[in-house]
Amino acid sequence: MRLSHPAAFRSQARKVLAVAGCLLAVSACRAEPAGPTPDAVLSDLERQGQAVFTLHCAPCHALAPGTMIAGPSLAGIANLAGERVPGMTAESYIRRSILSPYDYLVEGFLETMPPDLGKRLTGEEFDAVVAFLLTLD
């Protein structure tokens, strides 16, 4: 396909990167438990969030430290999120990162997270996944 206009090229490049990211995520899937340590006791809301994470987030985000799929590992996110933006709590950072994933893009990662993920989740699912992520310290 011939792309003579720079905007058309950028659009096509984004599509190629998105597909490549998805393929990378699928090829990197492993039977890693999606959650905190086995001895952690999760509330009903946190368990619901774990299920939401497994369905929507785990294909691209690992929970093991240093394991990268398409996005950064979320190991320790409860602690790291509170340190990423001065004056922002961990909960606020996580919520904003889901709703506007490119606002605080982690260095070295492309804009591959679906920008509408926060809108596709119900309010309860959104609150649940945030609660679950806050258990990952």
Side-chain angles (χ1 to χ4, degrees):
M1 171 167 56
R2 182 177 157 93
L3 299 173
S4 58
H5 193 274
F9 177 78
R10 283 192 299 275
S11 175
Q12 190 65 24
R14 283 189 187 112
K15 290 176 187 174
V16 169
L17 287 172
V19 170
C22 289
L23 291 173
L24 178 63
V26 170
S27 69
C29 286
R30 58 189 58 68
E32 172 188 315
T37 57
D39 59 338
V41 177
L42 297 178
S43 69
D44 289 342
L45 182 66
E46 293 163 348
R47 275 196 302 280
Q48 180 186 359
Q50 184 177 27
V52 172
F53 177 89
T54 300
L55 182 64
H56 294 284
C57 311
C60 295
H61 293 282
L63 296 178
T67 301
M68 304 303 161
I69 305 175
S73 169
L74 296 181
I77 190 66
N79 294 323
L80 297 171
E83 300 170 357
R84 288 268 294 152
V85 178
M88 185 178 274
T89 66
E91 181 176 354
S92 294
Y93 176 84
I94 290 170
R95 286 180 178 281
R96 176 105 177 246
S97 293
I98 295 169
L99 291 172
S100 301
Y102 310 137
D103 285 359
Y104 304 115
L105 195 62
V106 174
E107 188 176 333
F109 289 92
L110 300 173
E111 295 178 351
T112 56
M113 186 163 159
D116 65 340
L117 176 62
K119 294 176 184 139
R120 286 191 274 154
L121 300 175
T122 66
E124 186 178 340
E125 290 171 328
F126 184 82
D127 290 343
V129 77
V130 170
F132 171 68
L133 291 172
L134 288 170
T135 69
L136 303 176
D137 50 13

